[in-house]
Amino acid sequence: MFEDLVSLRMWKRFVHEGVIDSARINKRITESWYRCRRGRVDPYQGTGRVILQTDALEQQRMKHRRLLELAMPQLNRLSPFIHDAGMISLLIDPEGYVLNMQGEKRALQEANAINFVEGVRWTEDEVGTNAIGTALLASEPIMINGSEHYSVASHRWSCSASPIRDENGTLLGVLDVSSPLERSHPQTMATVSSLAFLIEQEWAKARQQDELELMQLALMIPEDDNRLLVVCNSYGQVVYACKRIRRIVPHWAGMQRAELVNHGFAEVREKPFASLRHGGLIGWKVELMQRCNEAFSVSFAASVSPVRRFRFEGEAGVSPSFQTTLRDVERVAPTDVNVVIYGESGTGKELIAQAIHANSSRRNGPFVAVNCGAVPRELMESELFGYAEGAFTGAKKRGYEGKLVQANGGTLFLDEIGEIPHAMQVALLRVLQERKVTPIGSREEIPLQIRVIAATHRNLRQQVQEGTFREDLYYRLHVMPVTVPPLRERKEDIVSLINHYAARNGFSLHISDEVKQLLLAHDWPGNIRELFNVVERLRITPEQEWKRFLAELTDPREEMGQPVQELTYREQVEKQSIAEALAKSHGSAAVAAELLGIPRSTFYRKLKKYQL
């Protein structure tokens, strides 16, 4: 039966692409165990704890109705063998909830004994390393056998799971086949992967049909309708624009809905389009209005509010790279989408976040910043979620209002989001999805109306691939990326930045051409933070010593190709320890510094010293 379901062509494809590469699977299992230990998952608990009640499960199924409709025919193909082989098949949504489970009666009873049932949330943070949860995080097929499971309760099981993605790579769910260990089959992994692939193909076909139906609905809009109308698909891409918009924006086709803001439009209202075939959402008809005089923001009601131009409290400069950043900020600020700001340390990511907030509809609300890398891991939950009075020993008498609640009605800025612990990633994702928070030790749910802006100097996509950052949280935050260039890519702004800093602090500096050349010759690894530090040093240094000081910014021996003094034995040991800590932490400076027991500022200083 398995050989019938897995064609030779598909089998070769999976082997060729490394889908069932045992070495890669073993690496994913090792990474997962490391995450579970770090997240303090109890290996002796290991049974399902979060199980949706009937009504909640039906709501979850309705939410993923389209996936169920397309996947169930494929699962039904597998059903006869599943029953004969004493196995069970499962369909899981991107949050880890089991939407559908079917199989042989005895296997279902054994699964029930560990709460492996419909409606359970079967993720790594709940039950440790398992095929479903690990496939969700790794975003690739995986098989977990026996004691490879982190939970002792699952050691009698063999499980194979494969992610299901749409044509854009977005995770739709996970397909899993599980069985007691003695009934496992060597080709289960390939079968699951092939069925997931077939479901993806069905999804792509259905999406094409949705697009055709959406276009038919769009063509029914009268051309003499005076309103500014566009039709967008479920991904927010424009598939139809009225004649007036086509004249103003010639390259409208395929444009993201949010991009229309950058072309002088604001949204007035929207109407969802439901499919006549399956009843699900296939797109929106959006009515727009033109903003006046290139005004930055306009009321989203029918009447136009007074003109309000873009505000930026820092120094804009003239460099093309930073002007591009400001244009991105100007485009995204009036919307309410989540933003991730990328940039090296010291480039001014928080200033960019403040500019987005100041030019948004939430500008009159609070702007609350949290440096995720500076908050100890054991305090992260209470810092973000807050706690009730008496929630734990040492809690404040009246409790504590966490940063999420403090930011209610405004903007929450999560700096160094890449350093947030895995357990907190799960909790934060839940808050962003449900828009409510429950403080520690409280049963009261507090509704939230916040916009989240995250920032990092790391590559979040790479962290997702390495399994240190949740893919579902990545897509929830990474709606609109904004990149802040390093100072070495905008050196033409250096003098303007110096003048801006000096004026803001009530002093002035005369920058001669010779001093300017020395400033331009430096690569500024510390970016604007380093520049302002240098300005403070110049402020208190006699002008005749400036050239010597600036020449020392870069080691002259390196510039002339001369060898730098050899490290002492103690320095060699310290350098090796730092390199090993970085390897263990997968490049996370915050985690490496914690492993070594030194402050992050000291750690960064030693990185620079040893050129790591």
Side-chain angles (χ1 to χ4, degrees):
M1 178 66 182
F2 264 113
E3 288 75 6
D4 294 336
L5 289 169
V6 185
S7 68
L8 181 61
R9 179 177 61 84
M10 285 187 174
W11 175 266
K12 289 180 177 178
R13 170 181 173 268
F14 293 125
V15 173
H16 177 70
E17 294 182 4
V19 171
I20 53 176
D21 181 1
S22 60
R24 186 174 181 85
I25 290 175
N26 291 336
K27 180 175 183 291
R28 290 295 180 230
I29 294 171
T30 302
E31 292 170 346
S32 174
W33 274 61
Y34 178 78
R35 286 194 298 270
C36 292
R37 286 198 300 270
R38 191 173 57 191
R40 299 179 181 177
V41 177
D42 185 356
Y44 299 102
Q45 173 64 38
T47 57
R49 297 177 297 172
V50 180
I51 304 176
L52 298 176
Q53 298 302 312
T54 304
D55 290 346
L57 176 57
E58 284 307 310
Q59 289 179 5
Q60 201 73 3
R61 285 171 173 162
M62 283 299 296
K63 182 178 175 182
H64 301 284
R65 180 177 63 178
R66 195 73 179 126
L67 174 64
L68 281 162
E69 290 173 350
L70 296 173
M72 290 313 299
Q74 303 301 328
L75 287 175
N76 291 336
R77 288 184 62 205
L78 189 64
S79 185
F81 178 83
I82 288 293
H83 284 82
D84 294 344
M87 297 178 171
I88 54 178
S89 63
L90 306 97
L91 186 66
I92 300 93
D93 70 15
E95 299 169 56
Y97 289 106
V98 176
L99 300 176
N100 179 273
M101 175 186 286
Q102 53 184 302
E104 190 260 341
K105 183 178 180 180
R106 187 174 42 154
L108 289 171
Q109 289 173 342
E110 292 183 43
N112 187 70
I114 58 173
N115 287 340
F116 193 28
V117 295
E118 287 187 342
V120 71
R121 190 165 185 269
W122 207 258
T123 55
E124 273 193 7
D125 53 289
E126 293 291 340
V127 295
T129 304
N130 69 91
I132 294 169
T134 305
L136 280 169
L137 281 175
S139 193
E140 61 184 44
I142 192 162
M143 174 185 282
I144 308 288
N145 286 316
S147 58
E148 291 174 341
H149 288 91
Y150 192 77
S151 165
V152 175
S154 297
H155 282 189
R156 290 194 62 255
W157 288 85
S158 173
C159 307
S160 300
S162 179
I164 304 168
R165 306 180 190 87
D166 69 8
E167 60 271 31
N168 294 324
T170 304
L171 184 69
L172 301 172
V174 168
L175 182 65
D176 175 87
V177 170
S178 297
S179 69
L181 197 56
E182 65 273 12
R183 299 175 216 160
S184 64
H185 193 287
Q187 290 186 5
T188 306
M189 182 70 181
T191 301
V192 172
S193 298
S194 67
L195 287 181
F197 175 73
L198 290 173
I199 294 170
E200 290 174 347
Q201 298 304 301
E202 291 301 313
W203 182 276
K205 291 177 187 175
R207 285 276 304 129
Q208 291 175 353
Q209 292 175 338
D210 289 348
E211 292 276 317
L212 288 173
E213 186 176 358
L214 188 62
M215 284 303 300
Q216 290 172 349
L217 292 170
L219 292 173
M220 293 172 63
I221 299 174
E223 277 293 323
D224 57 356
D225 194 320
N226 291 323
R227 294 175 298 170
L228 293 169
L229 296 175
V230 295
V231 173
C232 304
N233 63 20
S234 57
Y235 290 113
Q237 295 173 316
V238 178
V239 298
Y240 165 87
C242 70
K243 191 180 295 183
R244 288 171 60 194
I245 291 179
R246 294 199 296 266
R247 284 198 299 265
I248 300 169
V249 189
H251 305 293
W252 58 271
M255 181 180 289
Q256 280 294 321
R257 173 177 172 176
E259 290 183 62
L260 291 167
V261 173
N262 200 43
H263 289 270
F265 296 101
E267 294 183 12
V268 176
R269 60 182 63 86
E270 67 177 14
K271 175 187 175 183
F273 276 137
S275 170
L276 297 176
R277 298 178 357 265
H278 54 77
L281 176 73
I282 58 175
W284 293 271
K285 179 170 70 175
V286 184
E287 183 179 349
L288 306 171
M289 64 181 295
Q290 279 188 279
R291 297 177 298 179
C292 298
N293 301 325
E294 296 298 320
F296 183 70
S297 63
V298 175
S299 168
F300 278 66
S303 59
V304 180
S305 66
V307 172
R308 183 176 181 275
R309 295 190 178 278
F310 177 67
R311 291 173 52 203
F312 179 62
E313 298 298 333
E315 172 55 47
V318 295
S319 62
S321 59
F322 194 64
Q323 297 308 308
T324 299
T325 298
L326 291 181
R327 281 196 296 272
D328 289 342
V329 171
E330 186 174 354
R331 177 192 307 171
V332 76
T335 71
D336 208 28
V337 299
N338 296 331
V339 179
V340 176
I341 302 172
Y342 290 96
E344 297 176 6
S345 295
T347 52
K349 296 188 289 293
E350 183 168 349
L351 189 63
I352 294 298
Q354 289 172 341
I356 294 173
H357 172 75
N359 291 283
S360 73
S361 60
R362 299 180 182 273
R363 57 185 171 272
N364 295 322
F367 177 87
V368 177
V370 181
N371 188 329
C372 301
V375 179
R377 293 186 169 218
E378 60 273 14
L379 299 181
M380 179 67 76
E381 185 177 12
S382 58
E383 182 71 10
L384 285 179
F385 289 75
Y387 52 82
E389 181 177 350
F392 49 83
T393 303
K396 294 180 180 179
K397 186 175 181 181
R398 296 184 180 179
Y400 174 71
E401 194 178 66
K403 300 297 186 184
L404 284 160
V405 176
Q406 292 177 32
N408 212 355
T411 301
L412 178 67
F413 175 54
L414 297 175
D415 197 6
E416 299 300 349
I417 187 68
E419 313 298 337
I420 196 168
H422 185 267
M424 283 307 304
Q425 293 179 27
V426 178
L428 179 61
L429 176 65
R430 196 167 298 169
V431 168
L432 295 178
Q433 289 172 336
E434 299 175 1
R435 293 289 168 175
K436 53 190 176 184
V437 61
T438 304
I440 301 171
S442 172
R443 294 185 178 180
E444 178 189 0
E445 289 185 335
I446 303 173
L448 294 176
Q449 287 293 332
I450 60 172
R451 179 190 199 168
V452 175
I453 300 176
T456 182
H457 69 283
R458 305 182 66 185
N459 185 329
L460 286 187
R461 186 61 200 162
Q462 182 179 342
Q463 284 189 265
V464 169
Q465 293 170 351
E466 293 171 352
T468 57
F469 198 86
R470 290 184 64 97
E471 184 175 37
D472 42 12
L473 180 59
Y474 169 81
Y475 284 117
R476 177 69 64 170
L477 294 171
H478 198 271
V479 179
M480 177 64 185
V482 173
T483 301
V484 186
L487 187 55
R488 62 182 173 275
E489 293 179 9
R490 50 176 302 207
K491 287 188 177 181
E492 53 266 66
D493 295 337
I494 285 178
V495 175
S496 298
L497 287 165
I498 291 174
N499 292 335
H500 170 77
Y501 181 81
R504 192 179 68 188
N505 290 277
F507 65 92
S508 61
L509 287 176
H510 172 66
I511 305 298
S512 65
D513 289 342
E514 192 173 6
V515 169
K516 180 180 176 181
Q517 291 307 312
L518 289 170
L519 292 169
L520 294 176
H522 185 45
D523 275 342
W524 300 103
N527 293 297
I528 296 175
R529 185 181 295 124
E530 181 187 3
L531 175 65
F532 290 164
N533 178 274
V534 168
V535 171
E536 287 291 347
R537 175 77 177 271
L538 294 177
R539 182 182 178 185
I540 60 174
T541 301
E543 199 165 332
Q544 59 269 26
E545 297 181 21
W546 282 10
K547 287 189 289 184
R548 179 182 60 80
F549 162 60
L550 292 174
E552 290 173 353
L553 281 177
T554 304
D555 191 335
R557 292 168 298 175
E558 292 183 30
E559 290 182 353
M560 293 183 292
Q562 297 178 6
V564 181
Q565 183 179 355
E566 292 185 5
L567 300 177
T568 64
Y569 176 75
R570 179 180 177 182
E571 288 173 328
Q572 290 174 10
V573 171
E574 185 176 56
K575 180 178 179 180
Q576 182 64 27
S577 299
I578 291 173
E580 290 175 355
L582 279 171
K584 289 178 182 177
S585 66
H586 301 287
S588 169
V591 175
E594 186 178 332
L595 289 172
L596 294 171
I598 61 176
R600 273 213 300 165
S601 56
T602 303
F603 186 80
Y604 281 121
R605 190 165 64 249
K606 292 189 181 293
L607 284 180
K608 184 175 180 181
K609 174 182 177 181
Y610 297 126
Q611 300 177 1
L612 292 173

